[in-house]
Amino acid sequence: MIRAEIRKYITTPLFWILSGIGIALLLIQSVVFFAAHQVGLLSLTALDYLLGVMNFYLTYLLPFLFPLFAAYTYVSELQWRTLMFPFFDGTSRRAWLAGKAILIGICLLLFTGSYLLLAILIGGSLFSFDEIYLENLRLSPGAALLRTAMGTLWMDFILYPFGLLALLLSIFSRNLLVGGLGSGLTFFAGLMFQQSPSNPFRPLFTVAQQLVRLSQLTDASFLYALGQATLLNLGLVVLLAVALSFAFQKVDIVLE
Amino acid sequence: MREPSVVLETFQLSKSFGAVKAVSDLNLSIRAGEVYALLGPNGAGKTTTLALIIGLLHPTSGTVRFSGGPGEIAGFIGVPPVYPHLSGYTHLQMAYRVRGLPPDPRRIEEVLSRVGLGEARHRRAGTYSTGMRQRLGLARALLFRPRLLILDEPTSGLDPQGIGEIRELIRSLGREGVAVLLSSHLLGEVEQVASRVGILVEGRLQWEEDMEALRNEGDLYEVETSHPEQAIEAIAPWGAVVDRKGNRLIVRLHPGVFPEQLNAGLVQQGIPVAHLGRRINRLEAAYLEICHGITVGVAS
């Protein structure tokens, strides 16, 4: 079933449009960075560039693109009326929804993986891969690439529940923008108030920053924060999965 | 002879949307090999009934019992859905994959040619006409040899040739033992393909009849002549007079006799025929009365 889901959505125009938006902005940023570097406004290594573009993509762009895509995986089935297929194929509502939840997870990895790969290629072509200094931390090119990849994966982990939230909002609203934007804005609210002690998402963002900037990732306080944030996020995933399952089980599916 | 097994039953099935009762205490029973037609005007509750049967909608009360396993119901409701960016052929491949089976190219080709979609199978389904979508919907439905086939207005959007092909296909599926539940608002279609018919109005099953019994009644014709007494005797080789109202005779033709033969026979015997027309049958009469409140007399 997952293969069929991936086959369906990886060939949709929206998947390529959303991927294209990210890549187009990456190219624009690359030109700007390169020009600034050439005229001496900035002195950049490939790793500076990589951290800059990945940070922009993961915190400002993907939180909108990904929930939009997640909402689309539900709303499109309503629009195409193909949501009746699983009922004829003997697929239970729960299994069908689980297929969607896995699909959006895989697509999230594809969105970030392809972006990271392209950013590494462009960064390596335009700038040199020297060691990098982050505050008091000196990272070799290999270590910095590894940290960036880990940070990206962590951001995927943080973003995933917002894909589930987008699905949930779509089930109730039957609307792509309500589902996608509603979830994206919720993430953004969490991001904007990330420094506030009352922000429940704060540990998640703290870990993301520490993953890149902390000198010793085996530090006890970091591991504690990592465990706490992981549990928090997993709790969020479980809560949303239960809410989704319950909502989809109860809802009447009216196809226009 | 053993009676075919019951494939689908509904018991007191009801569905309300707010204050509107879309389906009300519906009891249906469909057997293997039977083509059951739900007939009714738009908004009668036909599509809602089909959606309740496959589980898209939850019933307000009542139950649906299907004797087959998961995936043994096939068909479509409304215009058959398609993924617009995928080809017809890919749709059928994916139907295998969602069941965890490897696609069987021979079977796919077989059903595509059976529904007449061979040529367009590699085109994007978004470019298909409504008729082609109907054919693709049927192909997907037939892929796994279902026990119950649900078809909502199966010939809508088809050209006359396509309508004939699909009707024949439905009849042949019935002969193969597949139970078919179709909804339609076309009397002619129902008369040609159904083995049983139910008329649904405002969510209630108002009338149900075996089509075989209706067909055995034969077609009735009305003959108007100035010589009715002579005509009653002269008609015998072609049919039987079942009713008379003054100069008008209601005639049931013998099987295989065409009305033009009756007309020619009477004229040859010197009996003038002022009018010869088909008299509506009980199904038409019931439909007109139940759905449109028009009462018409039917001789039987």
Side-chain angles (χ1 to χ4, degrees):
Chain A
M1 191 165 82
I2 298 303
R3 240 180 105 181
E5 284 290 324
I6 292 171
R7 172 81 179 82
K8 255 187 302 186
Y9 282 96
I10 214 162
T11 49
T12 53
L14 192 79
F15 179 84
W16 291 102
I17 288 170
L18 296 182
S19 301
I21 288 172
I23 288 166
L25 283 171
L26 173 69
L27 294 175
I28 292 168
Q29 276 182 301
S30 305
V31 170
V32 171
F33 278 145
F34 187 65
H37 180 73
Q38 287 298 99
V39 299
L41 281 174
L42 286 171
S43 172
L44 294 171
T45 68
L47 294 170
D48 291 322
Y49 159 85
L50 193 59
L51 287 173
V53 294
M54 286 313 290
N55 184 49
F56 174 79
Y57 182 62
L58 293 170
T59 48
Y60 297 106
L61 201 54
L62 198 59
F64 285 106
L65 299 188
F66 169 61
L68 200 63
F69 180 77
Y72 178 68
T73 63
Y74 181 79
V75 175
S76 60
E77 299 260 16
L78 284 176
Q79 283 171 347
W80 299 329
R81 306 178 67 255
T82 45
L83 193 41
M84 78 174 69
F85 283 153
F87 292 88
F88 281 115
D89 294 332
T91 311
S92 71
R93 287 182 182 228
R94 208 159 271 154
W96 185 84
L97 198 63
K100 290 288 177 207
I102 295 169
L103 167 76
I104 62 170
I106 291 170
C107 287
L108 178 61
L109 290 173
L110 285 175
F111 280 136
T112 52
S114 58
Y115 190 92
L116 178 64
L117 193 68
L118 196 63
I120 291 171
L121 286 173
I122 294 174
S125 311
L126 298 182
F127 310 99
S128 60
F129 267 111
D130 293 328
E131 60 185 13
I132 187 172
Y133 290 91
L134 284 172
E135 291 156 20
N136 295 325
L137 181 66
R138 196 181 81 177
L139 290 172
S140 68
L145 278 176
L146 186 66
R147 292 278 182 110
T148 311
M150 281 164 52
T152 305
L153 259 181
W154 182 259
M155 283 304 287
D156 280 354
F157 182 54
I158 298 179
L159 277 172
Y160 182 67
F162 291 89
L164 297 182
L165 179 63
L167 274 178
L168 185 65
L169 293 174
S170 307
I171 287 173
F172 288 119
S173 68
R174 301 164 59 90
N175 186 295
L176 182 68
L177 288 181
V178 172
L181 280 182
S183 177
L185 289 172
T186 308
F187 175 88
F188 222 64
L191 185 71
M192 277 174 68
F193 300 105
Q194 62 171 300
Q195 298 305 331
S196 159
S198 58
N199 180 358
F201 301 125
R202 191 179 172 204
L204 300 172
F205 295 110
T206 313
V207 166
Q209 286 158 359
Q210 287 176 327
L211 264 173
V212 179
R213 297 174 194 280
L214 204 66
S215 58
Q216 281 296 324
L217 292 182
T218 51
D219 183 78
S221 65
F222 171 71
L223 289 176
Y224 177 78
L226 180 68
Q228 190 191 25
T230 304
L231 284 177
L232 174 70
N233 205 50
L234 282 179
L236 204 57
V237 169
V238 170
L239 188 73
L240 283 163
V242 170
L244 257 175
S245 173
F246 185 76
F248 192 55
Q249 207 67 26
K250 294 283 171 201
V251 75
D252 273 335
I253 296 166
V254 180
L255 302 169
E256 303 305 330
Chain B
M1 207 173 77
R2 250 183 79 196
E3 241 187 24
S5 58
V6 173
V7 173
L8 179 83
E9 279 179 292
T10 69
F11 302 95
Q12 300 295 110
L13 190 64
S14 299
K15 179 68 185 174
S16 299
F17 296 103
V20 179
K21 264 207 152 181
V23 175
S24 197
D25 299 324
L26 183 66
N27 293 305
L28 280 181
S29 171
I30 300 164
R31 294 178 178 279
E34 186 172 55
V35 179
Y36 189 103
L38 266 182
L39 191 63
N42 292 334
K46 304 187 295 289
T47 301
T48 304
T49 301
L50 302 184
L52 284 166
I53 288 170
I54 70 160
L56 280 168
L57 301 176
H58 296 292
T60 308
S61 62
T63 53
V64 175
R65 194 165 71 196
F66 172 56
S67 68
E72 286 191 305
I73 300 182
F76 51 81
I77 297 174
V79 177
V82 293
Y83 299 108
H85 55 294
L86 300 180
S87 72
Y89 193 88
T90 309
H91 276 78
L92 303 189
Q93 283 181 318
M94 284 202 350
Y96 276 93
R97 291 211 176 102
V98 294
R99 288 163 189 251
L101 300 169
D104 178 352
R106 257 179 52 194
R107 177 69 182 152
I108 292 175
E109 291 295 343
E110 189 186 316
V111 292
L112 282 172
S113 60
R114 190 170 183 188
V115 300
L117 197 70
E119 302 247 319
R121 63 188 184 279
H122 292 304
R123 259 175 54 192
R124 285 194 310 114
T127 65
Y128 285 4
S129 64
T130 310
M132 290 163 88
R133 283 182 175 216
Q134 298 278 45
R135 288 170 192 271
L136 179 59
L138 273 166
R140 196 182 190 282
L142 297 178
L143 209 52
F144 300 101
R145 298 182 176 88
R147 291 197 69 195
L148 173 66
L149 188 62
I150 288 179
L151 302 171
D152 191 11
E153 311 280 358
T155 57
S156 115
L158 291 172
D159 56 28
Q161 188 195 340
I163 290 173
E165 288 168 13
I166 298 305
R167 284 178 182 167
E168 181 45 40
L169 178 69
I170 294 169
R171 279 192 292 261
S172 71
L173 287 168
R175 287 194 293 271
E176 289 167 22
V178 178
V180 182
L181 171 59
L182 67 89
S183 85
S184 180
H185 62 272
L186 303 174
L187 268 174
E189 176 164 285
V190 168
E191 280 181 314
Q192 286 182 45
V193 300
S195 48
R196 207 143 56 94
V197 60
I199 297 180
L200 199 66
V201 179
E202 290 172 359
R204 283 184 183 277
L205 191 64
Q206 306 273 8
W207 192 83
E208 199 176 37
E209 185 62 271
D210 190 338
M211 284 302 291
E212 198 58 31
L214 279 172
R215 285 190 194 104
N216 286 341
E217 288 174 6
D219 278 344
L220 295 172
Y221 286 86
E222 190 174 279
V223 179
E224 191 175 341
T225 173
S226 52
H227 299 64
E229 303 297 340
Q230 283 172 269
I232 289 171
E233 285 178 23
I235 277 168
W238 299 283
V241 176
V242 295
D243 198 8
R244 179 185 168 183
K245 282 173 187 149
N247 285 349
R248 284 183 299 173
L249 307 175
I250 307 300
V251 179
R252 175 177 294 129
L253 295 183
H254 295 322
V257 173
F258 293 101
E260 50 268 41
Q261 290 172 289
L262 170 67
N263 187 40
L266 290 175
V267 172
Q268 271 171 13
Q269 292 184 53
I271 300 168
V273 176
H275 169 79
L276 173 64
R278 189 171 158 271
R279 182 96 170 163
I280 68 168
N281 62 28
R282 285 201 295 123
L283 173 62
E284 289 169 286
Y287 186 80
L288 287 172
E289 189 168 340
I290 294 165
C291 300
H292 302 290
I294 302 167
T295 307
V296 281
V298 180
S300 57

